[in-house]
Amino acid sequence: MSTIAEKFGREDWSRFTPRQRLQRYAIFALSALVLGWALGSIDVIWAWVWDAPEQMGDLFARMYPPDPSNLGDILRVLLETVNIATFATALGVVVSLPVAYLAAQNTTPNRATLWLGRLILVTSRSVNTIIWALLFVAIFGPGVVAGILAIMFRSIGFIGKLLGEAIEEIDKRPVEALEATGASRFKVIVYAIIPQVMPTFWAVAILRWDINLRESTVLGLVGAGGIGIILQGAIDTFNWPEAAMVLLAILALVVLGEVVSAFLRRRIL
């Protein structure tokens, strides 16, 4: 029995033509050149890079065993970290709802409000949480208020963008049916739009809370509250056993956040 290659008169087969292979090799070469240029343009002290494994081993040796003597304060500030993430997520969800409505093409009142909504989303997502925290620490002073506002402003872009995309993908038939009956815009939103985006709303809110829980652990490094304050103090005083205890507490918090997020998704979604 003849093979397929013999049947069609072909002795060999290649996935790419010679021209396509040449283009791929050129792209690979160009990527390697760009990577080499980028690596050469930054000031890397290679002696420190090669010495890093030895330094890491020395640091871990200083951290062991973790010091639980300050565990009470660590747990107290850890609870503060959870509160920062929770309050910030709740505020971010509330603020992002009208922004998502404005940023969705099928619900925004006009083109000006569309670009306003998208400008808010881009501004929120383009600024890192630490930068927001530094800004609000300068305005409100050190503390949890700056941390809550920093995470809230960062969350608006994330939640608003995903909800806006969910609104744009809704089934238009329920909306058109309600509009045909003369229903007000408010009733169209409540009975035709919200029920369709509710699963996405809960999924995005839970996911953002999980993300905010992790981001809130580093806010203390810039004075915006949370467990990072104790971590920064331990590092500044070279109290490595206490730093190890803080890191273990953060790890436990992140794992607990994953468990809670998975539980909420199973129960709600």
Side-chain angles (χ1 to χ4, degrees):
M1 180 180 293
S2 61
T3 64
I4 296 177
E6 293 174 348
K7 181 178 180 180
F8 290 95
R10 298 177 181 175
E11 296 299 333
D12 56 357
W13 177 85
S14 178
R15 182 178 180 182
F16 302 105
T17 64
R19 181 177 180 180
Q20 290 175 331
R21 285 198 297 271
L22 182 61
Q23 290 176 345
R24 288 169 60 86
Y25 293 149
I27 292 173
F28 290 152
L30 180 61
S31 300
L33 289 175
V34 171
L35 182 61
W37 172 82
L39 190 61
S41 64
I42 58 178
D43 187 15
V44 178
I45 303 177
W46 292 106
W48 291 5
V49 174
W50 309 135
D51 189 49
E54 181 179 349
Q55 297 299 327
M56 290 175 61
D58 178 65
L59 181 61
F60 288 147
R62 296 182 185 184
M63 286 183 171
Y64 183 83
D67 181 13
S69 61
N70 200 25
L71 187 58
D73 290 337
I74 292 174
L75 293 178
R76 177 182 58 80
V77 182
L78 205 63
L79 179 61
E80 180 182 276
T81 302
V82 176
N83 292 335
I84 290 174
T86 304
F87 287 133
T89 303
L91 292 174
V93 166
V94 172
V95 176
S96 65
L97 290 177
V99 178
Y101 180 84
L102 295 178
Q105 295 187 22
N106 55 339
T107 57
T108 191
N110 52 63
R111 194 165 187 83
T113 55
L114 173 66
W115 285 108
L116 174 62
R118 294 191 173 181
L119 176 63
I120 295 173
L121 297 181
V122 170
T123 303
S124 172
R125 289 183 293 113
S126 61
V127 180
N128 189 271
T129 306
I130 294 296
I131 305 301
W132 282 119
L134 288 170
L135 176 64
F136 288 117
V137 165
I139 296 174
F140 297 99
V144 296
V145 174
I148 291 173
L149 291 176
I151 293 184
M152 183 197 75
F153 271 71
R154 177 67 173 178
S155 301
I156 291 172
F158 181 89
I159 300 173
K161 179 176 176 57
L162 294 181
L163 286 182
E165 292 177 350
I167 293 173
E168 290 180 343
E169 296 173 357
I170 63 172
D171 187 353
K172 297 180 180 179
R173 289 174 295 182
V175 177
E176 294 172 350
L178 282 176
E179 290 177 343
T181 63
S184 64
R185 189 60 181 169
F186 176 77
K187 290 184 178 180
V188 170
I189 295 173
V190 172
Y191 295 108
I193 297 178
I194 291 180
Q196 296 190 63
V197 301
M198 191 58 68
T200 302
F201 168 79
W202 287 113
V204 171
I206 294 172
L207 175 61
R208 190 63 216 185
W209 176 79
D210 188 19
I211 296 173
N212 288 343
L213 196 62
R214 306 176 191 201
E215 292 193 346
S216 61
T217 59
V218 299
L219 292 177
L221 300 178
V222 294
I227 190 68
I229 293 178
I230 296 182
L231 178 61
Q232 185 65 54
I235 294 174
D236 289 343
T237 57
F238 303 104
N239 190 351
W240 300 114
E242 184 178 30
M245 196 68 220
V246 174
L247 292 175
L248 290 176
I250 293 174
L251 177 61
L253 177 63
V254 171
V255 172
L256 181 61
E258 288 285 349
V259 173
V260 173
S261 298
F263 172 77
L264 292 176
R265 290 190 187 97
R266 288 196 303 267
R267 294 298 300 269
I268 297 177
L269 301 180

